[in-house]
Amino acid sequence: MLEPPPSTVDDDGDDLFPAIGEFRGVRLFAFQPEARIERVVIPEIRRVFGMTATGELLAFLHNISHSPEARMLAERRLLEPAEQARDQRRAARVDGVKARALAAGIDSFRWADSRRHNSVLQVRAPGEPQAIRRTEPYLSAMLAEKEARREAGRRRYLEFLAARGK
């Protein structure tokens, strides 16, 4: 039986965006200034914890100008009741598929937008807010890390092919 080729995720199989800590159980992403975490990310996380209305959480999740960390929390807060409703065989107040789609790739390093605090899978309609730009030296550091991971993935793939005798 042939083994599938190795993926381009980290050696430990983890594609999660690197974190530098957490706040109230929410991972705080690397490649951003500490000042941004203190002035933007943590206040937004607090704000999401204070939200109770499904529409408010969906609107927050949909707005790509918010921090990815807080948007992931909004997704989690939307999915928990939806999954409970599904388990109890009753109608959910929110479509879990829609919530997952709105958060697609936010916590993935592979799908992370190197230039903005967002995922390349997240698009905005004309006139909607734009994701915040990543600043130097964090932009260069993230680009270097992405290239290092791509190169590691290439090496693993070539090793895989060599082991198969190709």
Side-chain angles (χ1 to χ4, degrees):
M1 176 183 239
L2 294 176
E3 299 219 7
S7 66
T8 58
V9 297
D10 294 344
D11 289 336
D12 63 359
D14 187 8
D15 183 39
L16 288 177
F17 198 98
I20 57 168
E22 66 176 50
F23 175 76
R24 292 185 64 185
V26 178
R27 295 172 58 249
L28 301 173
F29 293 167
F31 304 109
Q32 61 183 326
E34 192 173 316
R36 181 178 191 278
I37 292 171
E38 292 171 6
R39 288 192 305 241
V40 176
V41 177
I42 289 176
E44 285 187 351
I45 290 170
R46 285 186 178 124
R47 181 175 163 203
V48 171
F49 270 119
M51 293 178 184
T52 56
T54 300
E56 187 179 21
L57 286 163
L58 271 172
F60 189 94
L61 177 56
H62 181 73
N63 185 337
I64 65 172
S65 70
H66 292 304
S67 69
E69 298 94 332
R71 290 178 63 218
M72 289 301 301
L73 175 60
E75 179 204 28
R76 188 171 75 200
R77 298 216 43 229
L78 286 163
L79 290 179
E80 287 170 354
E83 289 170 0
Q84 288 173 353
R86 185 196 66 224
D87 292 344
Q88 297 170 359
R89 295 188 183 344
R90 58 183 172 78
R93 292 176 55 201
V94 68
D95 180 1
V97 173
K98 180 178 181 177
R100 284 186 189 92
L102 288 171
I106 293 175
D107 63 345
S108 165
F109 194 71
R110 177 183 304 166
W111 294 108
D113 185 334
S114 300
R115 301 191 186 293
R116 296 187 178 270
H117 295 278
N118 197 26
S119 160
V120 295
L121 302 174
Q122 303 294 309
V123 295
R124 69 176 185 89
E128 288 185 351
Q130 184 71 270
I132 306 303
R133 287 194 178 278
R134 202 172 301 279
T135 58
E136 289 293 349
Y138 308 98
L139 171 61
S140 295
M142 186 164 171
L143 290 169
E145 177 65 19
K146 279 189 162 252
E147 183 54 35
R149 288 185 185 203
R150 274 193 290 277
E151 187 55 37
R154 281 187 209 105
R155 279 194 309 275
R156 285 193 301 272
Y157 185 68
L158 291 173
E159 290 168 5
F160 168 78
L161 291 176
R164 288 187 52 205
K166 292 210 175 206

